[in-house]
Amino acid sequence: MKLLLALLVTLAAGAAEPVFVYSATFPYQEYPRDLWAGELVRLKAMGFNTVRLEGGGAVEVTELARLARRLGLKVWLESPLQAPELEPFRAVRGGPILDRPPGRTARLSDPANYLFAVREAWAAGVKVINCGTLAEEQRVVLARHGALARNLGRLLATVEPRPGTHWRWGEPPRASLPRGVRLAWLAAPGPRAPAFISALNPSDGPVAGGVLTVTDPRTARPLTLRSLNLPARQALWMPVNLPLARPEVCPTCSSFAPDERLVSATAELVSISFENGVLALEFVAPGEGELVLELARQPEGPLLAGAMLRTFDWDAKTHRLKLRIPPGRAPEFRSRVGLGIELPDSSVFLKAPQRLILGSTAVVTATFSSPELAGRARLLGPAGWRVRPEKRGESEIDYQVEVPAEAVAGDTVTLAVEAEGKVAQSMTLPLAPFCLLRIEPEEVFEWRRGKMRAIRPHLAATLLPRRRTYSIRLRNQSDEIRTFELSASGAGLEFQPSRVEAVVAGGLEREVTLSASAPGGRPGLYRWNLVVRTGSQVVETPLALAVISPDEALVYQLDIDRDGAPEWVLENQKIRVVVSPRQGGRLLEFRLKGRDVVGSEAGTGGAPAEVRVVGAGQVEVGEGQVRRRISLGAADAFFEVEGRLAVEPAPGIRVEGSRVTLSPAAAPRP
């Protein structure tokens, strides 16, 4: 796989402020609509702040723009669309849509190292990067880029390469760098500005205990960075001269003086926060590093680095603090440093549920160190959320947080207590539906070679006069014990039981079983619904039951591949054959039930074709004189195709003339 980097210098002509875009191409056409939200949540969790769309109409883009706005993502349209319904989403109106910018250039990266691909682009001053292909084996690297983009993107948008930087290496300093190491200096405009050093080691040998001397942007004096440990084929984005009080550096450090700063670090800074007197810094540290801070006063509390108490070196003359950054564990290399800057006169502690349930009211309790502080505090939530304080005691407040039902499950939100203009305590919580359901049996469809996707509505089959038994695993997402009512209904079906109550403890799961049958004895596709209620919250899950006669195969329509257009399905007690009218009558899938034998017809099919039922277990595909017939017997493990047939050979599949036979090629699936 290759990573496509879209290299842009500016996002839009006349942009009001610098931008830093970390984007991923979202091939939404490959996903059913009900999976769009989950895929966007996954991209956001990796740190992407923008999704790039190729093609699509106004209806699809509008739906994606609504989802993006709820998730705080931007949408980059490769081919700008002009439609009235999209205008409220344009960036000029504060919406998420960004039309394709001018001046684009592109290149394919080295597929062996996505880390270098992005870091080389950043070192060249690129502000907009798009990942065209997301390889699962590069997930950690992509998330590492995303952490920088998410937490320091506003600052990174302002820095530019400064050629001609004078590097000196080692002690005593000399001009030459270790062989193969590439360094770049990027700084924000103006004197005394923040800067970063991009360090790349493409060689097969590590850099151990390196010492690098540069010029301090604040003092214009030599600045020595020690303990530069850079393993082979690794990279670091090292901070220099970052003022702690700048919100783009640390959003919660407003109480620091303008001259208090992070002088340097020989690890990759991911984030900084300051709450309840503790300055917390998170790094990516493939090897041990050194952190230098310049503070107005000596820290009063302990140093916690790598989950252990450590010592630090404080110079009272220069007001500089030096400490060791312990190496993180592979593959993330995350390392955290917590430093007690001051013993706070006032403090706040938050207690909240493990997750926020969509469409419910959550209680978040704040405990304050004094009644006076409680009277001046407020809870900050996402824009548009309603928060109602209810005093619980002199120093405790219960905040009633109304979680919108339209929020996106799987997303996260940050709640923070603000007191006297400062964030005293914050927490990030996931959003979740009130329950999760796993229904078995669950039939799947091979949408791509070797890749399965669940069929929706949930499809199962039964042979007359048998009943179909379902196992329903219900998970209570709240922290409290709840009683759930499950009810099943569907025309032509009988359920045992049709209604059941389940008491489930907080965060736990319970299994409920029910069975469905067609008492009239008529074969066909029956649709039914499972409704789960607790209090005022309701979730409805559609299901489908294929009731098959032992005397003939069943023919029915269902959107098996979830592309919005129904397929024709021929099914008996042994196999299922799926025919796509949209793809010219192509055999989209044929499957031996209960076995790992799955095949399809080669190619992508032709123009849309007419499909009609011509007999028991028989359909005819095509128009005019160009037709073919597909037949399936009542209990056969083969089907026949009269006309053209192009089936790719695969284990368990045998083609003899017009007959396709499926036989077990592997052990039954568990």
Side-chain angles (χ1 to χ4, degrees):
M1 294 185 178
K2 293 182 181 290
L3 177 72
L4 177 64
L5 300 182
L7 311 181
L8 302 103
V9 176
T10 178
L11 190 63
E17 61 181 24
V19 296
F20 192 84
V21 172
Y22 184 48
S23 172
T25 296
F26 178 38
Y28 67 92
Q29 299 93 337
E30 295 183 4
Y31 296 91
R33 269 183 161 80
D34 61 294
L35 297 183
W36 286 358
E39 287 302 309
L40 291 180
V41 166
R42 184 178 68 89
L43 294 177
K44 179 182 176 181
M46 293 176 67
F48 292 104
N49 55 31
T50 304
V51 289
R52 176 175 172 267
L53 305 181
E54 295 179 341
V59 174
E60 294 87 353
V61 173
T62 300
E63 184 173 343
L64 287 164
R66 289 196 182 101
L67 283 170
R69 183 163 61 185
R70 283 151 56 187
L71 290 168
L73 296 171
K74 296 292 184 182
V75 174
W76 168 7
L77 298 183
E78 179 63 18
S79 302
L81 286 173
Q82 301 300 325
E85 56 264 48
L86 295 179
E87 289 309 307
F89 298 99
R90 298 290 179 190
V92 293
R93 299 189 182 184
I97 289 182
L98 306 170
D99 288 329
R100 189 179 81 173
R104 179 171 67 95
T105 60
R107 73 182 182 187
L108 288 175
S109 77
D110 173 7
N113 199 321
Y114 284 17
L115 178 61
F116 278 15
V118 172
R119 296 309 168 88
E120 287 175 338
W122 284 358
V126 173
K127 297 296 186 293
V128 178
I129 290 180
N130 182 74
C131 301
T133 302
L134 303 182
E136 181 60 28
E137 61 270 20
Q138 297 291 347
R139 178 185 57 82
V140 172
V141 170
L142 294 171
R144 178 176 164 184
H145 300 324
L148 273 170
R150 177 173 54 245
N151 298 316
L152 296 174
R154 289 173 58 193
L155 180 59
L156 297 179
T158 67
V159 300
E160 296 292 344
R162 307 297 181 196
T165 302
H166 184 54
W167 309 103
R168 288 178 292 170
W169 186 264
E171 289 185 307
R174 60 182 187 272
S176 61
L177 299 174
R179 185 176 180 180
V181 172
R182 300 200 296 270
L183 300 178
W185 179 272
L186 297 97
R192 302 161 59 92
F196 291 91
I197 298 173
S198 169
L200 302 175
N201 180 16
S203 70
D204 294 328
V207 173
V211 178
L212 180 65
T213 302
V214 297
T215 299
D216 188 337
R218 177 71 61 89
T219 64
R221 296 176 180 175
L223 174 64
T224 302
L225 287 73
R226 302 181 186 278
S227 297
L228 177 50
N229 292 288
L230 192 56
R233 299 190 65 77
Q234 264 294 340
L236 287 176
W237 189 261
M238 301 182 294
V240 176
N241 188 38
L242 268 56
L244 297 175
R246 290 184 60 162
E248 60 268 37
V249 174
C250 175
T252 56
C253 292
S254 59
S255 60
F256 283 80
D259 286 340
E260 293 185 285
R261 60 176 180 144
L262 184 156
V263 178
S264 65
T266 47
E268 186 167 291
L269 178 68
V270 174
S271 67
I272 308 180
S273 64
F274 182 65
E275 295 180 358
N276 283 335
V278 176
L279 183 67
L281 304 96
E282 189 171 4
F283 294 93
V284 171
E288 180 177 297
E290 182 185 73
L291 169 66
V292 181
L293 297 172
E294 194 168 278
L295 303 173
R297 67 283 198 196
Q298 180 177 354
E300 298 187 17
L303 166 67
L304 190 68
M308 295 182 65
L309 287 172
R310 310 277 185 178
T311 58
F312 57 83
D313 178 15
W314 170 257
D315 188 326
K317 183 178 179 180
T318 62
H319 280 220
R320 287 194 176 182
L321 174 149
K322 296 181 181 179
L323 58 91
R324 170 180 171 265
I325 303 171
R329 292 184 178 180
E332 290 87 0
F333 301 115
R334 288 295 182 96
S335 183
R336 185 177 176 85
V337 173
L339 183 64
I341 298 295
E342 60 187 15
L343 299 177
D345 297 328
S346 57
S347 59
V348 182
F349 296 96
L350 285 176
K351 180 183 177 182
Q354 294 183 11
R355 58 189 66 85
L356 300 178
I357 305 301
L358 302 181
S360 70
T361 299
V363 178
V364 177
T365 302
T367 303
F368 300 86
S369 58
S370 68
E372 292 76 20
L373 183 63
R376 298 190 299 268
R378 61 172 180 160
L379 184 72
L380 304 177
W385 283 35
R386 292 187 59 188
V387 178
R388 293 179 288 106
E390 293 183 0
K391 197 166 184 179
R392 184 175 180 178
E394 289 188 356
S395 301
E396 279 192 328
I397 296 178
D398 282 343
Y399 292 98
Q400 308 288 328
V401 181
E402 296 184 13
V403 185
E406 64 272 12
V408 182
D411 193 16
T412 57
V413 297
T414 299
L415 304 177
V417 171
E418 181 188 69
E420 299 174 339
K422 305 172 186 176
V423 173
Q425 179 79 350
S426 67
M427 55 172 38
T428 299
L429 299 170
L431 300 175
F434 71 90
C435 72
L436 290 179
L437 293 176
R438 287 191 297 135
I439 302 175
E440 296 177 352
E442 182 176 74
E443 295 288 340
V444 296
F445 168 78
E446 189 178 49
W447 65 283
R448 187 175 289 174
R449 181 63 60 87
K451 293 186 177 181
M452 305 298 176
R453 182 173 287 161
I455 296 174
R456 294 290 183 268
H458 290 75
L459 176 65
T462 188
L463 189 68
L464 285 172
R466 302 173 188 169
R467 308 181 65 86
R468 173 80 263 183
T469 300
Y470 293 87
S471 171
I472 302 164
R473 296 184 180 274
L474 187 152
R475 182 178 181 83
N476 179 9
Q477 292 282 79
S478 73
D479 293 341
E480 302 173 348
I481 188 169
R482 288 194 172 186
T483 300
F484 297 86
E485 178 187 290
L486 293 81
S487 57
S489 62
L493 293 178
E494 180 180 271
F495 300 93
Q496 292 184 356
S498 60
R499 179 183 174 278
V500 64
E501 283 192 352
V503 179
V504 188
L508 297 183
E509 183 179 88
R510 180 174 171 182
E511 182 179 7
V512 175
T513 59
L514 62 83
S515 61
S517 63
R522 296 183 58 184
L525 183 72
Y526 292 82
R527 297 178 181 269
W528 63 282
N529 292 299
L530 177 68
V531 178
V532 179
R533 290 185 176 87
T534 179
S536 60
Q537 295 176 303
V538 181
V539 63
E540 185 171 335
T541 303
L543 298 96
L545 178 62
V547 178
I548 303 169
S549 168
D551 301 324
E552 62 182 39
L554 179 66
V555 180
Y556 60 90
Q557 282 187 289
L558 188 68
D559 187 5
I560 294 285
D561 63 359
R562 302 170 67 183
D563 66 349
E567 283 74 44
W568 283 91
V569 182
L570 293 79
E571 185 169 1
N572 65 15
Q573 54 189 299
K574 294 181 179 178
I575 65 175
R576 182 174 67 231
V577 181
V578 181
V579 182
S580 172
R582 173 176 283 187
Q583 298 187 32
R586 173 174 171 254
L587 300 178
L588 215 56
E589 179 190 82
F590 38 87
R591 173 184 296 271
L592 184 65
K593 295 183 179 182
R595 304 286 180 139
D596 290 320
V597 179
V598 184
S600 62
E601 196 168 9
T604 58
E610 178 189 10
V611 178
R612 60 191 183 95
V613 180
V614 294
Q618 291 185 332
V619 296
E620 198 171 68
V621 181
E623 296 181 359
Q625 301 299 316
V626 183
R627 292 180 177 272
R628 66 173 180 167
R629 180 169 296 191
I630 303 169
S631 305
L632 176 64
D636 296 329
F638 64 86
F639 63 95
E640 294 185 293
V641 179
E642 298 176 19
R644 60 178 176 83
L645 180 63
V647 174
E648 296 179 355
I653 299 172
R654 186 173 71 254
V655 181
E656 298 174 323
S658 63
R659 176 178 293 188
V660 180
T661 303
L662 283 69
S663 58
R669 288 179 293 174

